[in-house]
Structures are given as C-alpha cells and as structure tokens.
Amino acid sequence: MSAGLLTLEGVNKSFGPVGVLHDVAFSVEAGDVVALVGDNGAGKSTLVKCIAGIHPVDSGTFRFEGERVTLHDPRAAAGLGIEVVYQDLALADNLDIVQNMFLGRERGSTWYLDEETMEEQARSALASLSVRTISSVRQPVSALSGGQRQTVAIAKSVLWESKVILLDEPTAALGVAQTRQVLNLVRRLAEQGRGVVLISHNLADVFEVADRIAVLYLGRLVAEVKTSEVTHSQVVQLITSGRSDELGIGRPETSAIPTT
C-alpha cells in the first residue's frame, strides 16, 4: 500500500470475545474520494469510530501525513485534521447556522463573542464549496431542508481546515435534487485537496463520485479497487460474499461475525 494522507496498517479491534476488525489496511490520499462499503455488520461503523478516536484499537498502526500517530480520543483526531460528519449530523436545531458551525469553538473572549468574524468565516466556508442554497447564515437549523443541513455539517468541517473528512451516509433520506447538491460538495472537497471517505449503501452515489472503492466483509478489507475498473455487480458480489471470481478475489478466512 502506498503512503497516503491517512494510512492504517494491520488494525484489529474486538469487543470482548467478538472480533470486529481483522488486520485492516486502508489509506486515504489527498484529493481522493474513497467509498467504504459493506453489508450491515461488516465493521464500517467500528472502523470509522476507530479513525475518529472514539474506539481505541487493539493493535495496528495509524500514520497521518507519513508520521505515526495515536488516536486516543476524538480531540486527538480533530487536532490532526480528521473530521467525521455522522448520519445524524450532530446539529442543534435551536441554534442558527453560525452558532452550529462554531459550537464549542466560538471566536472571542469569555465576555464577548466576535459575531462579525464568525459570520464572515461561516459565509467564506460555504462560498468555498460554491453553496448557493442557503440565503442567510443566521437561519435557524430547524428551518433547513435535509440537504441544507448536510451542507452545513460538511461546511463546518471545511471551516476547521480538516484534511480528512469521513461522511457517514450523507445522502440517506434525501431527495434527488438534494442528493445532487451533496454529491457535488463531495467532489469539491476532493478538488480542494482533502481526502474524503464516503460511507454509503447507495452504489449509484458511490460510482458517481468515488475514485476508489474499499469493501469490508465480516471485518476484513477484502478489496480496494478503482471505481473505473469494476462494475456494480462485481461490487455487490464483494459486499455480499467477500469474493469475486471475475476479479480473482477469494473469500477471506473469518473467525467471527462482527457487529457495527
């Protein structure tokens, strides 16, 4: 595996006697969109939480920009420039866009919030992604559509100059137009030189925006292929059986069925 912006080697994770991740090797490069796919129980959520510093790994190596690192908590991951946009988005409905984007990282002092600077930086983050569907950064999040909420969550990661962004099912429950907006944002993130990990069950979205596809099966990374070199049916076979005769990929040995 070539060195990337973020590289994982030999990552193992168990919960009690249940092995969830087995010798996972995975990389994300700058300007790259990698789709992480797999059936329910494949270990996707666990892998994402390990990268985010939520779950400590039992063994394995993490390298960020070539340097070995320890992701012992979410703050350590965020400090490196790793951000996760979860499916529930973690936005506060009762706050406006600016307040959400700076929540916990407000500009100003103990006695004074620099609202003007925060508004300007929020607008700049949205503008950098060519977002035109949000008319005011002072709109309450409760008034936004699903696509607009996803946009705010993604722009928040851009605001903090993240280098690797993990998007957990970003188009789930979105309509056609909103899905298009979000997929455009994903490509813009990569064009800006960020590494993007797209976790998705929607293969149409995956084939549209991903440069590579990494397939997890029962906690093992069974394939990492260029999107342009595989078909939908081949990826489905990898997801459901962990093997593909057409690609010459055999089913791995598995010791346990993991849960996410």
Side-chain angles (χ1 to χ4, degrees):
M1 179 181 297
S2 61
L5 185 59
L6 173 67
T7 304
L8 285 62
E9 299 172 351
V11 169
N12 292 277
K13 177 63 181 175
S14 297
F15 292 102
V18 181
V20 180
L21 298 176
H22 309 279
D23 295 320
V24 173
F26 179 70
S27 70
V28 186
E29 299 177 5
D32 201 18
V33 178
V34 185
L36 182 62
V37 301
D39 209 347
N40 292 334
K44 301 187 303 298
S45 295
T46 298
L47 181 58
V48 168
K49 289 177 181 177
C50 288
I51 295 173
I54 296 172
H55 292 326
V57 299
D58 299 330
S59 61
T61 301
F62 285 74
R63 296 186 186 277
F64 195 83
E65 296 184 320
E67 298 293 327
R68 186 164 180 169
V69 296
T70 301
L71 302 178
H72 48 78
D73 60 33
R75 187 178 294 274
L80 291 172
I82 300 172
E83 291 282 347
V84 183
V85 180
Y86 293 101
Q87 190 170 350
D88 61 10
L89 302 181
L91 298 176
D93 283 355
N94 61 316
L95 301 180
D96 64 28
I97 292 172
V98 174
Q99 290 168 327
N100 267 282
M101 292 179 71
F102 284 89
L103 189 61
R105 301 173 178 177
E106 290 82 1
R107 299 286 194 230
S109 65
T110 304
W111 307 107
Y112 170 76
L113 289 179
D114 190 347
E115 298 284 356
E116 183 177 351
T117 295
M118 290 191 292
E119 281 191 26
E120 181 180 344
Q121 291 181 351
R123 291 193 192 96
S124 177
L126 290 166
S128 72
L129 294 172
S130 301
V131 175
R132 299 183 180 86
T133 59
I134 294 176
S135 58
S136 171
V137 293
R138 284 304 180 182
Q139 285 181 272
V141 164
S142 59
L144 302 180
S145 68
Q148 289 172 323
R149 289 173 185 239
Q150 189 67 248
T151 296
V152 170
I154 293 173
K156 184 176 180 179
S157 65
V158 171
L159 178 67
W160 299 110
E161 299 182 353
S162 303
K163 297 178 181 179
V164 175
I165 301 175
L166 295 90
L167 303 174
D168 185 12
E169 299 286 353
T171 60
L174 296 185
V176 175
Q178 294 176 341
T179 294
R180 166 58 44 211
Q181 294 167 9
V182 171
L183 294 180
N184 288 341
L185 290 183
V186 172
R187 284 312 318 174
R188 288 192 195 107
L189 291 173
E191 289 166 3
Q192 293 174 354
R194 294 176 170 84
V196 182
V197 180
L198 174 68
I199 300 95
S200 180
H201 283 93
N202 190 320
L203 289 186
D205 292 352
V206 166
F207 272 84
E208 181 164 348
V209 299
D211 301 298
R212 292 183 289 126
I213 302 174
V215 184
L216 275 174
Y217 178 79
L218 298 182
R220 297 182 186 274
L221 194 75
V222 296
E224 189 170 353
V225 294
K226 291 184 178 180
T227 308
S228 60
E229 297 178 355
V230 292
T231 65
H232 280 69
S233 61
Q234 289 169 337
V235 174
V236 170
Q237 186 180 23
L238 287 168
I239 291 172
T240 56
S241 67
R243 62 191 295 272
S244 172
D245 294 334
E246 294 179 11
L247 297 175
I249 297 173
R251 182 169 177 169
E253 294 295 327
T254 56
S255 57
I257 297 178
T259 59
T260 57

